[in-house]
Amino acid sequence: MSPEKLQAPRGTFDVLPEQAAARAAVEREARRIFEPAGYGRIETPTFEATELFARGVGESTDVVQKEMYTFDDGGGRSLTLRPEGTAPICRAYIEHGMHKLPQPVRLWYLSSFYRHEAPQAGRFRQFWQVGVETIGSDDPAVDAETIVLLADLLDAVGARDVRLRISSLGSPEARAAYRAELQAHLREHRAELSSDVRERIDLNPLRAFDADDPGTREVMAGAPRLLDRLSDEDAEHFAEVRALLDRAGVAYEVDSTLVRGLDYYTRTVFEFESAALGAQSGVGGGGRYDGLVEALGGPPAPGCGWAAGIERILLASDDAGGAVSGPPTSTPPVDLFVAFTDLTRRADAFGLTAEARRAGLGAQMELAGRSLKGQLKQADRVGARFVAILSVAGAALKDMESGEQRDVDRVAVLREVLRGRGAA
Ligand code: HAM
């Protein structure tokens, strides 16, 4: 009986070489757009203390309640694979005393994240996010700047049918008062709500705006809106963000039903969606989190940022057909294929290949024990420009373009290839 074939865990995937180019392109565009705008790359650990997410993301969120990969590290400490990047980056901001740097501090990241969700198209258990966080300023220009950066990134990678929705959640105080008002409204219409929403009236009433069932939707259509309950200051902040987006030519829709799945948001929240995606239409989203750094034990430091799913960006983009597929990687040219007719020449072939690579050539050697005919076929398959054939008798060089083959001095092989390549 042969052993059972193992597969990647459900909701995870391999990024194969032919899929790497599309991902690399997103990363390249991100760097090109973010770094001149003052954003420095940050990488935090894959796992963190569980408490960071419990305190940072919020106990009542789906992410913390049911989606975290949490484990005991064997020393009695509870660790969690990061489900998101904002809380870890705020932790790093505090830990490294970044509040002493000129503010705001601008950071960007591209990392893998982990959520135990039901896998479906565009939803994975390990996925990648690109994101930015700007910490240390409550200027509405920060909100607008980060939004413009995501709009520009999506534009640069060719994401199709993108729509931006924005809203404001106001201050925690306004939100608390509104929450009570919304709860009262939900309780009044209890019988018309889905059981799911009914169960969460106490814990997370705002999520009722996300519900799909017609009964709940009807109730929510008549529900009070947080956007109408903002303090003057928060309303002014939101108006300023909108004015700046107008100035930057970024189109948006104000959507007072917009809710985000994480608890740390204050004031501005936003989401980019693409109609090119299915049910999981959110390409990227984020907002302001003015209380998060303090909640994690740091100094008062307002922040704002977003994250976008790499797989969803690729899915929504013109030149990438599938969540984890992309255009074929353009392989670098093979200038030299080193063949040998006799095993005693193998070490020499190895040496020549290493030498050729150090000289900056694209070089490959025979590794599969093929006959000379097979080796020439392989050289052709990889598109080699020259083939060096090492034998007991000496060395020969075959020009794969002209088909011409001639004997050469072994020590001259590299020089000949370099010259031949230069002439091409
Ligand atoms: P989020 O909305 O939870 O926000 O995730 C951001 C993006 O990550 C989503 O729009 C989606 O593209 C992608 N994403 C999320 N979950 C999955 C999944 N299971 N499979 C594939 N893609 C997924 C955050 O994570 C916040 N930290 C964003 C933020 C940064 N807010 C402020 N700063």
Side-chain angles (χ1 to χ4, degrees):
M1 204 178 73
S2 55
E4 196 191 332
K5 210 164 30 173
L6 297 177
Q7 291 186 332
R10 223 163 89 74
T12 71
F13 52 84
D14 302 303
V15 179
L16 301 174
E18 63 269 28
Q19 295 153 347
R23 291 173 168 269
V26 176
E27 180 165 355
R28 196 173 53 240
E29 290 304 307
R31 176 172 292 114
R32 183 183 65 76
I33 294 167
F34 303 158
E35 299 204 337
Y39 288 75
R41 176 94 179 237
I42 184 166
E43 186 65 61
T44 61
T46 307
F47 52 82
E48 297 269 359
T50 302
E51 194 193 341
L52 172 65
F53 301 112
R55 264 163 64 185
V57 173
E59 296 276 11
S60 71
T61 60
D62 279 355
V63 169
V64 170
Q65 287 217 326
K66 40 185 194 199
E67 294 171 3
M68 298 208 299
Y69 284 96
T70 295
F71 58 97
D72 188 297
D73 72 350
R77 229 179 122 70
S78 178
L79 299 177
T80 291
L81 294 183
R82 57 185 172 197
E84 65 100 49
T86 311
I89 287 173
C90 288
R91 195 255 320 128
Y93 176 90
I94 299 165
E95 191 169 329
H96 301 283
M98 290 191 220
H99 62 281
K100 293 186 209 120
L101 299 172
Q103 304 294 299
V105 173
R106 293 183 169 95
L107 302 164
W108 78 279
Y109 53 99
L110 196 162
S111 318
S112 56
F113 295 90
Y114 308 83
R115 292 184 194 176
H116 191 272
E117 295 193 81
Q120 64 177 85
R123 190 158 77 191
F124 307 97
R125 289 180 170 172
Q126 173 174 339
F127 55 96
W128 269 257
Q129 281 185 347
V130 58
V132 306
E133 309 294 348
T134 303
I135 309 176
S137 165
D138 64 359
D139 193 315
V142 166
D143 313 39
E145 173 180 291
T146 54
I147 294 173
V148 172
L149 289 177
L150 181 50
D152 287 353
L153 177 65
L154 294 175
D155 195 44
V157 300
R160 282 168 296 152
D161 304 327
V162 172
R163 169 171 98 106
L164 165 64
R165 293 185 299 141
I166 63 171
S167 188
S168 174
L169 301 180
S171 63
E173 299 76 44
R175 201 150 124 203
Y178 168 76
R179 205 177 127 104
E181 191 184 349
L182 180 63
Q183 280 167 331
H185 176 80
L186 291 171
R187 285 194 191 104
E188 199 179 311
H189 297 274
R190 207 182 166 83
E192 298 142 69
L193 301 172
S194 72
S195 58
D196 210 33
V197 170
R198 225 179 291 145
E199 272 165 29
R200 306 223 285 171
I201 294 180
D202 289 331
L203 200 60
N204 203 344
L206 265 95
R207 288 312 291 261
F209 281 111
D210 265 352
D212 295 325
D213 75 285
T216 306
R217 289 186 77 95
E218 185 124 333
V219 175
M220 295 322 284
R225 298 294 160 88
L226 179 49
L227 208 49
D228 302 324
R229 302 286 186 274
L230 298 185
S231 69
D232 290 349
E233 260 192 331
D234 292 342
E236 210 173 286
H237 182 100
F238 189 46
E240 185 66 20
V241 173
R242 291 188 329 252
L244 293 171
L245 289 176
D246 292 338
R247 245 337 248 279
V250 171
Y252 58 84
E253 293 155 42
V254 173
D255 181 351
S256 61
T257 69
L258 180 62
V259 280
R260 303 263 312 133
L262 312 163
D263 267 0
Y264 45 63
Y265 293 111
T266 53
R267 294 188 157 177
T268 315
V269 284
F270 55 93
E271 237 164 57
F272 282 83
E273 289 174 353
S274 166
L277 299 178
Q280 299 303 312
S281 61
V283 185
R288 188 162 265 294
Y289 43 89
D290 290 346
L292 180 56
V293 172
E294 245 183 312
L296 295 175
C304 185
W306 53 260
I310 297 288
E311 293 75 29
R312 295 204 194 160
I313 290 178
L314 292 176
L315 260 177
S317 302
D318 286 330
D319 58 356
V324 289
S325 70
T329 311
S330 59
T331 42
V334 177
D335 303 299
L336 176 66
F337 187 92
V338 183
F340 51 95
T341 58
D342 188 291
L343 269 182
T344 61
R345 300 290 93 203
R346 193 170 60 153
D348 191 29
F350 188 85
L352 177 58
T353 309
E355 230 178 292
R357 286 176 181 157
R358 283 185 205 122
L361 293 173
Q364 291 187 19
M365 75 175 270
E366 171 57 20
L367 291 172
R370 295 179 182 88
S371 66
L372 180 59
K373 198 168 150 215
Q375 294 184 57
L376 288 170
K377 214 161 144 191
Q378 174 66 5
D380 191 46
R381 214 179 281 136
V382 300
R385 176 72 178 78
F386 292 97
V387 181
I389 304 164
L390 307 183
S391 67
V392 215
L397 196 62
K398 183 172 167 104
D399 183 328
M400 296 294 277
E401 242 163 51
S402 66
E404 179 208 345
Q405 179 175 328
R406 60 195 170 84
D407 291 340
V408 290
D409 198 341
R410 162 66 186 87
V411 293
V413 171
L414 210 50
R415 201 169 54 232
E416 293 285 325
V417 175
L418 282 164
R419 197 168 58 203
R421 193 183 68 147

